[in-house]
Amino acid sequence: METLLNDFSVGLFFMQALILLIIILLMRKFAWKPILDALQSREDGIQEALDAADSAKLEMQNLNASNEKLLQEARLERDSMLKEAREMKDQMITAAKDEAQVQANSMIEQAKDAIENEKKSAIAELKTQVASLSIEIAEKVVRQELANKDKQMELVESMLGEATLSN
Amino acid sequence: MVATKSIKFLVVFVLALTSFSAFAQDDTVGNNLIDSPDEIQAYIAHHLKDSHDFHLYTNNETGVHYGFPLPVMVWTSNGLKAFMSSAFQHDDNGTIIVDKDNTKLVKYHSKIYELEANATALSFDDANHPTNASKVLDFSITKSVFGMLLTGLLMLLAFGGLARGYKKGKIIPKGFSRILEPLVIYVRDEIARPNIGEKKYRKFMGFLLTVFFFIWILNMLGLTPLGFNVTGQIAVTACLAIFTMVIYMVSGTKDFWAHTLWMPGVPYVLRPILAVIELVGFILIKPFSLLLRLFANITAGHFIVMSLVALMITLKASFGPIASTGMSLVLALFIMFIEILVAFLQAFIFTMLSSLFIGMAVEEHDEH
Amino acid sequence: MYNLIGAGLIVIGGGIGLGMIGGKAMESIARQPEAAGKIQTAMIIIGALLEGLAFGALILGK
């Protein structure tokens, strides 16, 4: 201990303190600060790049998922559109059918009516013609009968029988 | 190719061995070869101390020292005196007196003393302490200060380069900076973040990084043959520890002080006692253990390496020059590897414990 | 003389402590190899604290 204290040089201590202080200050300014800053910025850069890669990956995944979703939606929409169109077609066909039926029915009805009318008018005409014919016949008969009484009777009878039949 | 290489290596190895043995066998009286255990111990003790000149090698034939002097700046009773350390002519025993404007200065055991005005030579008491001289405040650029300046320069160049690389827009550093970047990240992610906490660590990074690399580079410099022993100077480690202490004391939160001075959840009688214990722990014991650990580890490392190198001198008599040299080489090499590990480990431990203490001081307690 | 005995005792105590720390750390690493890093760090810190204590006693007692 005594030799140690004897060896302790105050001057050297002072010089060392001075030199160490100067070295610390100089090194801080010219070496450590730029070095540590550069290291820090480099590490930050690496970290940032890694983060960016991660986020890009995530975004890619999201994009894929949304694409898938869009596709799904489109497919659904197409399906629904097709279905709608098919329904509409069916509807239109049935509607057309119905309408055609209705029209046909009404045409048939009209035709029936017309036929009936024609028939009636034909019958009526027939009747008038029969009437006029029978009058003519009757005239002729009357003219003949006026000549022959038997024959006149016979004719009237046959005529009447015919008239009953044809009626 | 391999053959020539191995031959070259062999030649160098043999030359090294013979030169070592020549060095070991040459014990003519009159030169200052280090031979006896006492001399070795003195040499090691001298190395462990700071020195005022940069000494690399001494030619024993001519007595010429190779190295260069460093400036001496001392605060004496007559004010600041500055001169080159070559004025002492490598004397370390207080025999050469440097007279600067009537201030007599001598260097004794790596310390500079100011002689009393009427004294003409340094005199000692029984414990070899100078009696007629007083220590001066020594602000010299000693070997340690030189080492620190060198380290600071190296750090500024290396890490400044790394920072410039980033500023130029290079995201990934090239060349030598590539080695430095993981170290900075290591200190940040393994030392500062887990101990101080994610939110507050940034503020202390300047101190922790500087201290980590400062201690590490200085430890490694101490392992080179240049003979630095900076982190083995108690003043240096004390300064580092005091920096840590000041930082965690200043940045202590209200919570920290509440817990230190008036510990909740403890009987009232015990609280003042606990406060004293905690305060002593934070102000004295923690910095003290920090400074002592670093100092003792590095000093012990240098001591062991030098002792093992000295084995080739001390064992020369019993094993012969070649065997003793080989043994000391192998052992010293082994310890050297461990010392390289320790150099890093001590820097790591110092930074780790500093951040641990800072973390204690800035911690936010949610519950209680 | 007493100093040296004290130093020896300190070194013995520190050695026992370090051995226990190292041994237990090895055991726990063997049991949970995935926590090796954390265990190592904790081991080094505790070892350093022990070492600081031993060195402190050694130097103060010298």
Side-chain angles (χ1 to χ4, degrees):
Chain A
M1 191 66 198
E2 197 195 335
T3 46
L4 268 190
L5 284 180
N6 193 39
D7 279 348
F8 188 89
S9 158
V10 180
L12 182 59
F13 180 85
F14 175 79
M15 291 302 279
Q16 151 79 353
L18 198 71
I19 291 171
L20 188 62
L21 204 66
I22 292 169
I23 291 180
I24 288 176
L25 291 179
L26 280 180
M27 290 300 278
R28 247 172 88 147
K29 179 139 186 352
F30 292 112
W32 305 135
K33 206 168 144 44
I35 288 173
L36 288 175
D37 283 348
L39 286 177
Q40 192 69 48
S41 69
R42 192 172 74 188
E43 273 155 27
D44 287 351
I46 291 171
Q47 192 60 46
E48 241 164 60
L50 285 177
D51 286 351
D54 267 355
S55 70
K57 211 163 143 194
L58 209 72
E59 214 163 290
M60 201 70 185
Q61 269 173 0
N62 282 345
L63 212 66
N64 271 346
S66 70
N67 270 352
E68 198 68 24
K69 211 171 130 195
L70 265 172
L71 218 63
Q72 192 71 26
E73 263 171 26
R75 211 172 282 144
L76 274 177
E77 203 167 335
R78 189 198 64 185
D79 283 357
S80 72
M81 272 165 84
L82 275 175
K83 201 172 152 195
E84 218 167 287
R86 208 174 287 137
E87 270 171 12
M88 208 182 266
K89 182 192 78 179
D90 286 352
Q91 222 169 2
M92 275 167 83
I93 288 172
T94 43
K97 264 185 187 165
D98 286 354
E99 205 173 324
Q101 194 72 40
V102 166
Q103 217 161 351
N105 284 350
S106 75
M107 273 166 83
I108 288 169
E109 206 67 30
Q110 266 175 358
K112 267 184 187 166
D113 283 356
I115 289 167
E116 198 71 21
N117 286 345
E118 287 295 313
K119 201 174 140 191
K120 275 181 183 164
S121 66
I123 287 173
E125 202 175 327
L126 209 62
K127 272 180 182 169
T128 51
Q129 268 185 1
V130 168
S132 66
L133 210 62
S134 53
I135 290 169
E136 265 178 42
I137 291 166
E139 241 178 49
K140 277 175 186 170
V141 170
V142 167
R143 255 178 226 151
Q144 258 180 352
E145 280 314 292
L146 287 171
N148 191 347
K149 198 152 173 205
D150 283 342
K151 276 207 180 173
Q152 195 179 13
M153 260 331 272
E154 204 183 351
L155 192 67
V156 168
E157 270 196 19
S158 73
M159 281 261 187
L160 277 175
E162 268 172 35
T164 316
L165 267 175
S166 67
N167 194 21
Chain B
M1 186 66 199
V2 178
T4 49
K5 238 185 192 171
S6 56
I7 286 171
K8 252 189 207 163
F9 176 73
L10 213 73
V11 168
V12 169
F13 191 65
V14 168
L15 272 179
L17 279 188
T18 47
S19 65
F20 271 129
S21 49
F23 173 68
Q25 275 167 347
D26 188 4
D27 47 332
T28 41
V29 191
N31 59 26
N32 31 10
L33 278 185
I34 293 156
D35 249 353
S36 68
D38 285 344
E39 282 169 341
I40 290 169
Q41 223 159 34
Y43 183 82
I44 294 175
H46 175 76
H47 162 79
L48 290 178
K49 279 181 186 154
D50 206 357
S51 102
H52 285 85
D53 50 10
F54 207 97
H55 175 219
L56 289 171
Y57 171 69
T58 304
N59 190 336
N60 284 307
E61 316 274 304
T62 57
V64 176
H65 298 276
Y66 293 96
F68 50 89
L70 293 164
V72 174
M73 287 178 274
V74 286
W75 185 260
T76 65
S77 52
N78 295 332
L80 190 72
K81 303 278 179 243
F83 52 96
M84 291 305 276
S85 68
S86 48
F88 287 118
Q89 297 168 16
H90 299 282
D91 165 57
D92 201 29
N93 299 317
T95 47
I96 289 178
I97 298 169
V98 176
D99 200 330
K100 287 269 161 191
D101 313 327
N102 293 328
T103 311
K104 292 177 200 155
L105 297 163
V106 293
K107 189 152 79 78
Y108 173 67
H109 285 184
S110 304
K111 292 236 175 297
I112 294 177
Y113 291 85
E114 184 186 355
L115 279 178
E116 284 163 11
N118 48 7
T120 51
L122 201 59
S123 58
F124 304 100
D125 60 8
D126 295 337
N128 272 340
H129 290 309
T131 49
N132 59 350
S134 56
K135 265 191 216 168
V136 291
L137 268 179
D138 189 353
F139 300 120
S140 316
I141 307 295
T142 58
K143 208 177 191 175
S144 296
V145 176
F146 182 73
M148 282 186 250
L149 291 171
L150 192 68
T151 307
L153 201 67
L154 280 176
M155 280 169 74
L156 267 180
L157 282 178
F159 291 101
L162 178 61
R164 264 199 307 283
Y166 286 128
K167 265 189 193 157
K168 267 187 215 150
K170 277 187 256 165
I171 294 176
I172 291 161
K174 293 251 158 29
F176 185 58
S177 303
R178 213 163 186 164
I179 306 168
L180 299 177
E181 195 202 74
L183 292 170
V184 175
I185 295 178
Y186 176 79
V187 173
R188 189 191 63 176
D189 288 354
E190 303 295 321
I191 297 178
R193 261 188 181 155
N195 288 315
I196 300 178
E198 194 62 44
K199 273 184 238 158
K200 294 181 172 168
Y201 80 94
R202 191 65 203 260
K203 218 168 67 183
F204 305 103
M205 280 312 284
F207 173 71
L208 292 174
L209 280 166
T210 311
V211 161
F212 178 80
F213 289 106
F214 189 74
I215 294 175
W216 192 15
I217 295 171
L218 282 176
N219 285 350
M220 294 301 272
L221 267 186
L223 296 179
T224 60
L226 297 174
F228 283 112
N229 182 26
V230 186
T231 36
Q233 301 300 326
I234 197 138
V236 172
T237 60
C239 180
L240 287 166
I242 286 171
F243 262 69
T244 300
M245 187 198 64
V246 167
I247 283 178
Y248 68 64
M249 290 306 247
V250 167
S251 54
T253 55
K254 226 164 78 186
D255 253 9
F256 164 72
W257 287 111
H259 276 250
T260 308
L261 299 176
W262 205 240
M263 180 72 85
V266 174
Y268 285 101
V269 191
L270 285 177
R271 287 187 186 187
I273 303 168
L274 265 180
V276 170
I277 291 173
E278 290 266 318
L279 268 184
V280 170
F282 272 109
I283 294 171
L284 264 179
I285 294 173
K286 282 186 169 82
F288 199 70
S289 78
L290 269 182
L291 80 91
L292 224 51
R293 180 177 306 110
L294 183 55
F295 162 76
N297 264 294
I298 302 306
T299 307
H302 280 242
F303 198 94
I304 291 171
V305 169
M306 294 195 80
S307 305
L308 287 175
V309 169
L311 263 189
M312 69 179 159
I313 300 166
T314 47
L315 290 185
K316 184 188 69 183
S318 36
F319 289 101
I322 292 178
S324 63
T325 307
M327 205 161 101
S328 90
L329 259 181
V330 169
L331 287 174
L333 209 62
F334 170 69
I335 285 296
M336 209 61 181
F337 277 121
I338 292 182
E339 283 306 310
I340 289 173
L341 183 71
V342 165
F344 171 76
L345 203 63
Q346 288 310 314
F348 169 75
I349 293 272
F350 194 98
T351 322
M352 188 82 181
L353 289 177
S354 291
S355 58
L356 204 70
F357 298 153
I358 293 172
M360 278 180 193
V362 300
E363 193 182 14
E364 304 272 2
H365 297 269
D366 295 330
E367 61 271 81
H368 304 308
Chain C
M1 184 61 198
Y2 292 119
N3 287 355
L4 293 180
I5 294 173
L9 286 176
I10 294 162
V11 171
I12 289 171
I16 292 172
L18 273 177
M20 282 172 79
I21 295 167
K24 294 282 177 196
M26 286 298 135
E27 258 174 43
S28 14
I29 289 175
R31 200 168 293 162
Q32 269 181 299
E34 67 274 7
K38 278 184 183 173
I39 294 170
Q40 252 165 20
T41 313
M43 181 185 79
I44 288 171
I45 290 176
I46 296 169
L49 288 172
L50 173 72
E51 191 189 52
L53 193 78
F55 271 131
L58 211 57
I59 285 168
L60 286 178
K62 202 176 95 179

